[in-house]
Amino acid sequence: MSDDTRPILFFDSGVGGLSVVAPTCALLPMAPIVYAADSAGFPYGTKSEGEIAARVPALLGRLAERYHPRLIVIACNTASTIALPAVRAALDLPIVGTVPAIKPAAQASRTRTIGVLGTEATVRQPYVDDLTARFAADCTVLRYGSAALVELAEAKLAGEAVAPDAVARELAGLFGQTGGDAIDVIVNACTHFPLLEDEMRAVAPAGVAFVDGGPGIARRVAVLTQGQDWPREPVVHQLVFTRLGDREARIGTHLRAHGFASPETL
Ligand code: DGL
């Protein structure tokens, strides 16, 4: 058996993709990880489709040249719902995208009312219309785009406190809509949001369930890498930012405890 050190590359605008890394590492504990955050382009959710489409394939091309991954996970709903076909066309590698987990949410909902919580860019994508029509046609699907929750998740991982009021205000964007009090499942349609799940549960109505794409992506990565070799010894994961400022340095310090080397810049 050979010692295959080619990593899996996870890409997001910031720390959100770590919510996809965690279930993947749980399934594939020997997988070497490169985690790439486009901190210079953060946040994506308030950008136009054109900006995301121009930025993401080019960056992933540079990252693929530098790190030679065996597979790339776009661990970002915003980038995936806008740029996945362009990335797949540009790179000769398996690319796994992250799209809103509307299907499992519709399967789990008893009230047939689900909330989709994403970035402003994600919730307006036709991709979300398609997923709703295919998997939740008999549900009322309410959407809310939150830039504030993205910021709060970044702040949390940089060691800052998260104010419960700020989280509650964003959830009110869903529950405050007409019919919103019937929501029993929330789709975390931004990879940053599972990082705030404890804070969201603390302020959400009792019994509301949260679903996200992380576990499904981990299973998909396991299928796509089935039969491949992994390093015999655990390797240190790599962390790369497109801009390395104070906040990124603090995030880097936090991630050292999770097996990541000091951050690099692209
Ligand atoms: N984590 C990203 C997503 O899943 C985007 C957050 C942002 O940069 O606005 O959509």
Side-chain angles (χ1 to χ4, degrees):
M1 188 165 112
S2 71
D3 198 25
D4 189 345
T5 56
R6 287 174 307 148
I8 298 172
L9 191 144
F10 288 79
F11 175 80
D12 183 30
S13 59
V15 297
L18 294 167
S19 71
V20 185
V21 170
T24 307
C25 286
L27 273 190
L28 301 168
M30 297 308 285
I33 305 295
V34 173
Y35 188 83
D38 182 13
S39 44
F42 175 88
Y44 279 3
T46 52
K47 290 194 163 44
S48 70
E49 284 71 1
E51 285 171 287
I52 307 282
R55 191 166 182 95
V56 172
L59 262 178
L60 283 172
R62 287 172 59 203
L63 286 162
E65 264 172 35
R66 189 191 280 193
Y67 294 104
H68 305 289
R70 62 180 81 199
L71 179 150
I72 291 178
V73 178
I74 305 181
C76 173
N77 292 261
T78 311
S80 300
T81 54
I82 294 170
L84 191 54
V87 173
R88 286 197 168 128
L91 298 180
D92 193 14
L93 268 173
I95 313 286
V96 177
T98 307
V99 299
I102 289 174
K103 184 180 178 183
Q107 285 165 346
S109 174
R110 291 173 317 278
T111 61
R112 312 315 289 154
T113 303
I114 64 180
V116 177
L117 194 58
T119 65
E120 291 145 292
T122 295
V123 298
R124 67 171 181 254
Q125 292 312 307
Y127 209 117
V128 179
D129 303 336
D130 281 0
L131 290 172
T132 302
R134 283 168 61 200
F135 302 117
D138 67 330
C139 292
T140 300
V141 179
L142 302 175
R143 307 179 192 186
Y144 182 68
S146 171
L149 286 175
V150 175
E151 262 305 322
L152 290 171
E154 290 284 321
K156 179 178 174 180
L157 265 76
E160 296 161 36
V162 177
D165 285 2
V167 177
R169 261 197 307 277
E170 294 310 296
L171 288 191
L174 273 180
F175 291 105
Q177 292 182 33
T178 308
D181 51 357
I183 292 172
D184 65 345
V185 183
I186 290 183
V187 181
N188 275 328
C190 169
T191 53
H192 278 74
F193 300 168
L195 303 174
L196 291 173
E197 208 165 293
D198 290 344
E199 289 81 356
M200 290 199 278
R201 280 184 196 285
V203 295
V208 168
F210 290 84
V211 300
D212 67 81
I217 290 165
R219 288 192 296 274
R220 181 82 190 125
V221 171
V223 166
L224 289 172
T225 57
Q226 212 161 24
Q228 295 183 8
D229 291 329
W230 299 103
R232 289 190 195 96
E233 301 295 328
V235 295
V236 174
H237 300 323
Q238 284 164 290
L239 178 62
V240 54
F241 291 103
T242 53
R243 190 193 72 96
L244 191 48
D246 282 354
R247 184 178 264 186
E248 289 75 27
R250 278 185 279 131
I251 290 166
T253 305
H254 167 82
L255 288 180
R256 269 215 287 282
H258 298 271
F260 282 88
S262 299
E264 307 171 0
T265 37
L266 183 66

